Amino acid sequence: MNENSLKKALSKLKLGGLRYFDSIGSTNDEALAWAATEGGAADLSLVVADEQTQGRGRLNRKWFTPKGSALAFSLILRSSETLRPNLSRTVGLAALSIAESCSKNGLTPSIKWPNDILINGKKLAGILVETVWSGDELDLLVIGVGINVFKSSVPPVDLLQFPATSLEDELGTPPNREEVLSSILEALIHWRARMGTDEFIKAWENQLAFRGQQVQTFAGTDVPVVGELLGLEPDGSLRLLDKHRKSIVVRFGDVSLRPDA
Ligand code: ADP
């Protein structure tokens, strides 16, 4: 992967700009810095790196992007009429787009709400959305994505709390990283224009992992909220049904789902 191969693969997409790095701390940090410069970065500007040395997950957890093996990118979305009222759907926009791109390649992905993509119960990709505000007005957001593409991108088991996989492991053959990126961005541009629709929520909900199963979520406390995973609220919150048949809405916090043992 290099700047030219990326430019070629992404030429059909109307990106606002492209910055490629052989190695970088974090693509999200670079995107945030780019957006903050005089004149800023245009809508749909993209930062791609072959290697991240300080890749971040939520709550400052680490995301591993070893050299020559993964996809790490951050896409800048400028605030717009469509985005503003649907901000809470942004992580779904990224998750749905990655999932659709996997499905196109014949895989069966699922979304571990809110920000992980699983294949065969193992983590393939993670998403980190960060927002920039001017007072209480949204200025822009950065969608950061890390995807394990080749086998060599999967971190050693002792570094993980959750099993991981790669596209190569699942497909049985190594895909082209530029093509994977192009297909995700194409889906993302398609769904961004439809973020406010019921169709969007339905498509996102249809890809959720553990639907109809007993799950537990941790929303910033040690005590899990337990229930059957029903689906999504219009704002992208998760809807569970507890043992008293009462509906519970899980909105935010550090929520991770595990099948209830
Ligand atoms: P969570 O899994 O709780 O949603 P994040 O999505 O923020 O957490 O991702 C960070 C976590 O993902 C790390 O703590 C690490 O266990 C795991 N991780 C880091 N890099 C990778 C990778 N390349 N593939 C799979 N899992 C990873």
Side-chain angles (χ1 to χ4, degrees), residues 101-254:
S101 151
C102 291
S103 303
K104 270 192 206 147
N105 278 315
L107 298 171
T108 309
S110 63
I111 299 168
K112 184 163 83 71
W113 187 92
N115 68 325
D116 293 326
I117 310 299
L118 308 183
I119 298 192
N120 288 323
K122 293 182 232 163
K123 191 148 140 184
L124 175 86
I127 299 159
L128 179 67
V129 177
E130 297 187 287
T131 47
V132 178
W133 301 80
S134 297
D136 53 9
E137 288 273 300
L138 176 74
D139 191 9
L140 60 98
L141 55 83
V142 171
I143 299 178
V145 172
I147 304 180
N148 301 329
V149 180
F150 305 141
K151 281 175 195 273
S152 50
S153 61
V154 177
V157 181
D158 52 323
L159 293 180
L160 302 174
Q161 287 110 342
F162 197 85
T165 190
S166 68
L167 287 173
E168 181 179 4
D169 279 309
E170 300 301 324
L171 291 166
T173 164
N176 176 288
R177 281 189 288 172
E178 288 88 338
E179 280 170 19
V180 174
L181 175 58
S182 168
S183 121
I184 293 168
L185 293 176
E186 201 182 315
L188 199 147
I189 290 167
H190 167 90
W191 281 114
R192 179 169 78 147
R194 294 161 182 79
M195 266 180 97
T197 64
D198 291 345
E199 184 200 357
F200 176 94
I201 287 284
K202 285 262 144 48
W204 178 8
E205 194 172 58
N206 280 337
Q207 303 273 9
L208 286 182
F210 316 131
R211 268 185 101 187
Q213 287 178 255
Q214 290 292 320
V215 298
Q216 54 187 6
T217 76
F218 291 89
T221 60
D222 287 343
V223 187
V225 177
V226 176
E228 178 189 336
L229 198 160
L230 294 184
L232 293 171
E233 291 287 296
D235 69 353
S237 301
L238 200 62
R239 202 168 66 250
L240 306 185
L241 190 67
D242 76 5
K243 61 176 189 242
H244 308 295
R245 314 290 303 161
K246 202 176 106 226
S247 189
I248 313 170
V249 175
V250 179
R251 286 203 172 75
F252 33 59
D254 179 24

